[in-house]
Amino acid sequence: MNAVEIEEAVSKLAEQPFEPQEFPFAFLEAFGNKATTIKRLRSGASNKSDVGGVLQANNIHLAVAKLGAVTQTLGALKASPQTAKAKVKFILATDGDLFEAEHLDSGETLACEFDNFAEHFDFFLPLAGISYVNELRETAIDRGAARRLNRLYVELLKDNPDWGSEARRRDMNHFMARLIFCFYAEDTGIFHPNHPFTSTIEKMSDRDSSNTDEVIGELFRAMNTRKIDHEAAGIRNWARAFPYVNGGLFGGNLDVPRFSRIARSYLLHIGSLDWTKINPDIFGSMIQAVADDEERGALGMHYTSVPNILKVLNPLFLDDLREKLGDAGDNPRKLAILRSRMAKIRVFDPACGSGNFLVIAYKQMRDIEAEINRRRSEAERATDIPLTNFRGIELRDFPAEIARLALIIAEFQCDQIYRGQQLALAEFLPLNAENWITCGNALRLDWLSVCEPTGKGGGKIYADDLFGAPLDQTKIHFENEGGETYICGNPPYSGYNKQTAEQKADLESVFAPVMKRWGNLDYVAGWFIKAAQFIQQSDGAAAFVATNTICQGGQVPILWPWIFAARQKIAFAHTSFKWANLAAKNAGITVVIVGIARGSNDPATLYEEAIEGIEVRQVTNINGYLAPSANIFIQAATQPISSISKMNFGNHPYYGAALIISRYDASEMVANDNRIAEFVRPYYGSAEVINANPRMCIWVRDDQADQAAAIPDLKRRFLSVQADRRSKPSDSTATTLVKSPYRFRDQVESSSYFIAVPQTSSENRPYLPCNVIRAPAVASFKCFAIHDAPLWNMALIASRLHWVWIGTVCARLEMRFSYSNTLGWNTFPVPTLTEKNKIDLTRCAEDILLAREAHYPATIADLYDPETIPDNLREAHERNDEVLERIYIGRRFKNDTERLEKLFELYTKMTTERPHSG
DNA sequence: GATCCGACATTTA
DNA sequence: TAAATGTCGGATC
């Protein structure tokens, strides 16, 4: 069961009348326990309770109390020896009136009326093995709201096709933003409770919906007109009860699209949702999906989850604020100093989307400030944290609008929580007309002018329109004289060979002035450069979520030397973790978080996912590979830096797909015409090596071209290749190859065998896959090959040292290994090998092959399954590592960290003593 | 001329 | 439907 399903089940349970006998079992069932589990508990077979309740070992001990004795029963549960013995996570007691529970691990308690317990279902999610607790409940509602808004949006576009045009798109977006504001306002008391927005529309508009647009338009007009002018403006009586909102929200074009009956009923339906529960953290992202063609299908695929946002914000500056809060204790002066520091902090998200990072940062800071005010006995004090210190840049106009709306709502919610409903309401309307979210291209804008350095620049400029103000209207003075700026966000990623022409041009504008050879960098790297440039001018730090490849392979020696030369360091980092949010479909990507700050001798903090949770380490330095080691850069090399054999890239078909055939097709072709046999060879890529299951290819040497073309089955395939290559007129290589359609672009073969190294392979194996492949088989471009070379080369590839090296300095596909000859093999530092060393290593490689042979026909995939790797094979690898590691340091390495340290050290030594060009 | 990497792509359990 | 695990193209240096 997922969280949404659990919420449904719990709500259903809460609606039913309370049955003391049944309740414990029904509760467990709602959290996904199987019928058999419950049966065994019911029968008493597995029920360990010693206080007359129900105890499920390792999970929960719950009991139904006598009326009025809930607290007492909970105490008994807590004191029960069985509770401790059975390692219970939760205790729970209820009498059908009150409901109390405690999470024993954290000590968190829950007390509510029985009727409301379903609202707290997330408290118990660990029971179902779900631990990403905080955001779930809200998100279920946010997603529901987003889906309904999406339906309304689509329906309105159906009825008003012109509103979907480029010219009117912004009107449509404005309209949706206004609606969202109204829904929120009517549920939170911003509108007078006697005059709800939704039911006014329902009452005043005809059932056939013919005048729905006019009714809404009139309400909008009221909200755009000061109270005293309502009469003069001729606002209809039924609309006069609505307040003056404006702040730009209802300024400008007040057109309303026409509503069909279906659209009207969607509208009323959305209004009936409980919008007080909407969580501006996430709802912005959901809402933006409503209007975004790209996002609509995925519904929020790219929004950053709250836990991940906190992985950025906490180490960036929130942890420090909390630490200072702790240090200040109850000292009023220290608390006031912290408060005034916070009032000057700017948070700047140059890829803000609908403002999630800004909203979370704002809410977290308000929480800290509220604690300060509480300790200083100033609970009702207005906040000192200006909303305008939370700046953003966003490319698309709708999210930019939503970002501001989300911040406004966040401010209102914080005022409600920390200062009370009355004060919150009193100061809310009319909305401030400033616009502090810039709609524009972050890589093209001057961040210093969007988020100007402290204390400089002109006076306040108000945007005449709340939304999407032109750039020159965004120079709003910061109220942060002497303050810090924290840059954060989750900018878009795009690899160099997937970037659009526009994106390339964006990057060029950033990189051309500062470096050459930037063409292999990911799009997100542009944000790091601009952030580094910004921090050089201003107090603060920056941290982004980014694709992990910016800290891997070829990108490291391009991007990070520049950042470090700009006197920045990696102040903290979170190593690779799989992207996840609660959207139905997640982007398939693995990300890192990297925080940069001005260089200093302070320790850096390295976060790594571990089974127990997130492991945190203080280290002296974090390098561009996110390793806790010196700043080292592995440059791709065209020749090995060590005395090892040359490794070739495999044979690239280059639109020669028709030359690659299955084994079945190959035997059919040969059966059809025996002359073909001579031209067919086994063809090994990654999967073929790993699974010992080659495909076949047509392999024709230049001097055999005519002979092969005379065979009809081959000729047909050559023509197909020719056509494919001809279809790429802009590709000079393809054009050249049109003349030789009988062959791959590359044509390298071995005379007796080659050592094959798969290009992509699973990260779960304890050693890299490799094998000896005999001629006449050939390597595909998914497989690297050392042709007819001594076998001790394979001993190196099969070693744990190489596994560590490749895993660190080559790129990865998500977490998969992605082997590279230039980055991984040619750079692999190997001490000078004596003849004796080579003989020993050759023996080790032979032993590995023999150990595998003993399990014939098991494949590499079978043999290297980490769970079931055979003992003899593991021992052969151990001996191989023993021999090789003794060559390095005269003993075995203690662990992979030590291996990497030594390799980095040796690499540095070898490349500086004997400089390598390339 | 050679190759790196994928806000992935496809297969498998 | 989630988990496992590697295709294939094509821009870049």
Side-chain angles (χ1 to χ4, degrees):
Chain A
M1 274 172 101
N2 62 33
V4 176
E5 292 165 340
I6 289 171
E7 192 221 20
E8 279 173 12
V10 173
S11 300
K12 216 172 263 174
L13 171 63
E15 281 165 23
Q16 281 160 19
F18 178 68
E19 286 181 43
Q21 292 298 317
E22 248 340 275
F23 178 78
F25 304 107
F27 185 86
L28 288 171
E29 196 181 348
F31 279 89
N33 281 290
K34 289 201 188 87
T36 51
T37 311
I38 291 176
K39 202 170 160 191
R40 291 182 60 218
L41 281 169
R42 204 190 283 274
S43 72
S46 59
N47 184 4
K48 303 275 196 314
S49 179
D50 49 357
V51 296
V54 175
L55 191 162
Q56 186 187 25
N58 300 316
N59 262 330
I60 187 166
H61 194 179
L62 68 170
V64 172
K66 289 210 183 77
L67 208 60
V70 172
T71 307
Q72 204 185 333
T73 304
L74 197 75
L77 286 167
K78 193 164 186 180
S80 132
Q82 286 295 343
T83 294
K85 200 175 161 199
K87 296 196 178 119
V88 163
K89 286 191 200 124
F90 289 94
I91 51 174
L92 187 171
T94 183
D95 58 359
D97 181 27
L98 283 178
F99 186 97
E100 288 190 28
E102 181 172 341
H103 185 215
L104 295 172
D105 296 347
S106 66
E108 260 193 270
T109 57
L110 169 66
C112 63
E113 287 177 20
F114 181 84
D115 291 339
N116 299 333
F117 86 85
E119 288 175 28
H120 302 281
F121 84 103
D122 55 356
F123 183 82
F124 295 103
L125 278 178
L127 281 180
I130 298 172
S131 54
Y132 45 101
V133 182
N134 295 326
E135 51 188 328
L136 282 167
R137 182 170 49 127
E138 292 85 352
T139 302
I141 291 158
D142 294 335
R143 279 171 65 178
R147 257 187 229 117
R148 291 177 197 190
L149 280 167
N150 189 8
R151 271 186 229 134
L152 174 63
Y153 187 90
V154 171
E155 194 63 33
L156 284 173
L157 283 187
K158 215 189 286 172
D159 302 336
N160 305 271
D162 52 318
W163 282 66
S165 70
E166 202 54 46
R168 297 217 71 181
R169 190 62 170 262
R170 273 186 61 182
D171 289 337
M172 184 68 182
N173 293 343
H174 284 208
F175 173 72
M176 294 300 288
R178 287 165 181 156
L179 271 188
I180 291 163
F181 175 83
C182 292
F183 290 137
Y184 183 74
E186 75 171 332
D187 285 354
T188 47
I190 294 169
F191 291 164
H192 194 282
N194 292 347
H195 300 280
F197 178 73
T198 309
S199 52
T200 301
I201 295 172
E202 184 171 18
K203 212 159 51 190
M204 301 313 300
S205 65
D206 297 333
R207 200 154 273 228
D208 69 3
S209 83
S210 56
N211 64 346
T212 307
D213 53 334
E214 291 161 26
V215 172
I216 296 173
E218 187 66 6
L219 292 175
F220 284 0
R221 207 156 69 86
M223 295 179 216
N224 189 34
T225 309
R226 282 170 210 283
K227 276 275 167 177
I228 47 166
D229 299 330
H230 269 190
E231 193 160 351
I235 305 279
R236 305 279 293 275
N237 263 328
W238 46 265
R240 288 191 194 175
F242 285 85
Y244 174 61
V245 176
N246 204 342
L249 183 54
F250 292 95
N253 186 341
L254 280 178
D255 284 1
V256 175
R258 284 191 318 281
F259 275 65
S260 66
R261 274 173 57 195
I262 296 169
R264 178 175 176 272
S265 74
Y266 278 145
L267 177 85
L268 299 178
H269 194 55
I270 296 166
S272 70
L273 285 171
D274 184 357
W275 283 77
T276 57
K277 295 256 169 60
I278 293 294
N279 180 1
D281 315 349
I282 296 305
F283 113 106
S285 312
M286 296 296 165
I287 303 304
Q288 99 180 40
V290 166
D292 193 318
D293 290 332
E294 214 175 294
E295 295 280 321
R296 198 177 306 147
L299 209 59
M301 178 154 101
H302 292 155
Y303 84 85
T304 315
S305 70
V306 176
N308 287 347
I309 290 173
L310 290 175
K311 281 179 197 159
V312 174
L313 296 179
N314 281 339
L316 184 62
F317 72 106
L318 291 174
D319 284 346
D320 180 57
L321 294 180
R322 291 203 193 89
E323 196 185 312
K324 296 292 187 299
L325 177 66
D327 294 347
D330 287 325
N331 182 321
R333 202 179 61 85
K334 283 187 179 168
L335 289 167
I337 290 170
L338 177 59
R339 185 171 63 196
S340 67
R341 177 187 161 200
M342 284 171 60
K344 293 173 185 169
I345 287 178
R346 290 179 289 177
V347 181
F348 174 41
D349 181 348
C352 72
S354 34
N356 297 358
F357 280 79
L358 298 175
V359 167
I360 299 283
Y362 179 77
K363 287 170 80 172
Q364 296 280 324
M365 285 176 67
R366 284 292 302 267
D367 182 60
I368 295 170
E369 186 197 37
E371 179 59 22
I372 292 173
N373 290 345
R374 197 188 61 74
R375 290 187 195 173
R376 284 176 50 96
S377 311
E378 297 170 319
E380 293 195 343
R381 185 188 161 99
T383 183
D384 289 86
I385 301 171
L387 209 55
T388 46
N389 275 2
F390 294 76
R391 297 261 165 145
I393 302 176
E394 169 54 39
L395 189 59
R396 300 157 294 178
D397 61 37
F398 189 53
E401 295 175 7
I402 295 298
R404 214 199 122 184
L405 193 50
L407 277 166
I408 290 170
I409 290 175
E411 184 183 39
F412 180 75
Q413 287 186 337
C414 288
D415 279 338
Q416 272 184 314
I417 295 167
Y418 302 121
R419 303 178 61 219
Q421 173 84 353
Q422 277 201 327
L423 284 173
L425 279 176
E427 292 166 19
F428 188 61
L429 291 177
L431 298 178
N432 181 332
E434 287 173 330
N435 181 17
W436 62 91
I437 304 294
T438 302
C439 184
N441 181 337
L443 293 186
R444 298 298 190 142
L445 289 172
D446 175 11
W447 292 6
L448 292 169
S449 75
V450 174
C451 191
E452 63 195 286
T454 306
K456 289 188 208 153
K460 276 188 188 186
I461 296 173
Y462 287 82
D464 61 352
D465 181 340
L466 172 61
F467 296 121
L471 296 183
D472 57 354
Q473 295 181 323
T474 60
K475 287 191 180 170
I476 301 163
H477 207 49
F478 280 110
E479 301 177 37
N480 79 328
E481 205 77 24
E484 307 132 67
T485 301
Y486 293 105
I487 304 174
C488 59
N490 174 23
Y493 325 146
S494 187
Y496 72 91
N497 54 1
K498 300 224 173 179
Q499 287 159 11
T500 63
E502 287 86 352
Q503 289 175 321
K504 295 253 182 250
D506 292 344
L507 286 180
E508 184 173 13
S509 74
V510 175
F511 283 102
V514 299
M515 69 169 84
K516 39 188 184 178
R517 295 176 172 271
W518 48 270
N520 280 331
L521 291 173
D522 193 280
Y523 194 46
V524 73
W527 271 261
F528 278 90
I529 297 294
K530 295 210 61 149
Q533 288 169 334
F534 187 99
I535 316 171
Q536 285 182 304
Q537 311 278 324
S538 146
D539 232 2
F544 295 116
V545 185
T547 170
N548 60 355
T549 53
I550 64 158
C551 293
Q552 292 171 358
Q555 296 196 49
V556 175
I558 306 171
L559 175 63
W560 295 102
W562 190 88
I563 303 266
F564 297 151
R567 302 193 314 282
Q568 309 292 319
K569 62 176 269 184
I570 297 181
F572 74 91
H574 203 297
T575 56
S576 290
F577 60 96
K578 201 168 170 48
W579 174 265
N581 62 28
L582 293 166
K585 191 184 161 217
N586 268 211
I589 181 85
T590 299
V591 294
V592 294
I593 291 166
V594 186
I596 58 173
R598 232 175 265 176
S600 73
N601 291 325
D602 297 343
T605 314
L606 189 59
Y607 299 82
E608 255 169 290
E609 303 246 309
I611 297 159
E612 307 78 29
I614 294 168
E615 181 188 289
V616 187
R617 272 198 289 169
Q618 300 296 322
V619 299
T620 50
N621 189 57
I622 297 175
N623 70 19
Y625 300 92
L626 303 190
S629 187
N631 290 332
I632 189 173
F633 302 101
I634 312 300
Q635 303 286 347
T638 51
Q639 298 294 323
I641 63 167
S642 312
S643 298
I644 53 181
S645 299
K646 178 177 165 59
M647 180 183 285
N648 281 313
F649 189 81
N651 296 293
H652 201 300
Y654 225 83
Y655 307 105
L659 300 177
I660 303 165
I661 47 184
S662 69
R663 276 205 281 188
Y664 177 82
D665 287 348
S667 56
E668 281 220 319
M669 282 170 72
V670 172
N672 191 34
D673 189 331
N674 195 36
R675 291 175 295 169
I676 292 175
E678 178 182 359
F679 300 114
V680 171
R681 298 184 182 217
Y683 181 67
Y684 282 87
S686 298
E688 290 81 7
V689 172
I690 290 166
N691 299 316
N693 183 22
R695 286 182 291 173
M696 304 301 263
C697 69
I698 294 161
W699 189 271
V700 179
R701 295 192 185 115
D702 290 336
D703 59 5
Q704 299 170 308
D706 295 337
Q707 185 193 341
I711 303 169
D713 275 357
L714 295 185
K715 180 73 182 173
R716 240 194 326 276
R717 288 179 178 271
F718 299 160
L719 288 173
S720 159
V721 171
Q722 200 159 48
D724 288 348
R725 289 175 179 170
R726 210 170 255 147
S727 70
K728 309 278 172 188
S730 59
D731 187 326
S732 65
T733 311
T735 308
T736 312
L737 287 169
V738 165
K739 295 186 208 96
S740 46
Y742 53 87
R743 57 169 284 179
F744 287 53
R745 183 193 65 186
D746 315 302
Q747 205 173 57
V748 182
E749 55 185 291
S750 40
S751 49
S752 60
Y753 69 93
F754 64 93
I755 299 167
V757 189
Q759 195 250 0
T760 314
S761 67
S762 167
E763 72 276 25
N764 292 324
R765 301 188 182 104
Y767 299 97
L768 291 173
C770 57
N771 209 350
V772 170
I773 305 289
R774 310 231 160 252
V778 293
S780 96
F781 70 136
K782 295 292 99 186
C783 183
F784 295 92
I786 306 179
H787 293 280
D788 303 308
L791 205 54
W792 54 260
N793 286 286
M794 196 186 109
L796 301 180
I797 296 161
S799 71
R800 188 71 186 179
L801 275 161
H802 205 54
W803 184 92
V804 170
W805 184 251
I806 296 299
T808 306
V809 308
C810 290
R812 290 175 181 248
L813 204 182
E814 292 201 339
M815 289 302 282
R816 288 337 76 70
F817 287 106
S818 186
Y819 201 94
S820 156
N821 52 353
T822 59
L823 281 165
W825 176 252
N826 293 344
T827 61
F828 189 50
V830 184
T832 308
L833 300 176
T834 64
E835 282 314 304
K836 166 90 166 61
N837 291 155
K838 289 179 182 171
I839 290 166
D840 290 347
L841 288 171
T842 303
R843 177 68 184 275
C844 289
E846 284 167 357
D847 284 351
I848 288 170
L849 291 171
L850 283 171
R852 293 178 186 172
E853 195 73 22
H855 302 277
Y856 182 86
T859 63
I860 297 210
D862 302 332
L863 289 166
Y864 287 85
D865 180 330
E867 305 289 318
T868 60
I869 176 165
D871 287 342
N872 68 328
L873 182 58
R874 193 181 280 282
E875 285 155 15
H877 275 281
E878 287 290 334
R879 284 197 300 278
N880 184 46
D881 285 337
E882 171 94 31
V883 169
L884 185 61
E885 293 180 7
R886 278 187 181 281
I887 295 170
Y888 275 79
I889 58 166
R891 61 168 170 84
R892 288 300 301 269
F893 286 98
K894 289 200 279 282
N895 51 42
D896 290 342
T897 306
E898 198 189 19
R899 288 186 180 93
L900 186 60
E901 276 301 313
K902 180 68 193 177
L903 290 168
F904 274 154
E905 181 199 313
L906 193 55
Y907 174 85
T908 308
K909 211 169 137 204
M910 292 175 70
T911 49
T912 47
E913 278 177 5
R914 190 161 52 90
H916 180 76
S917 62

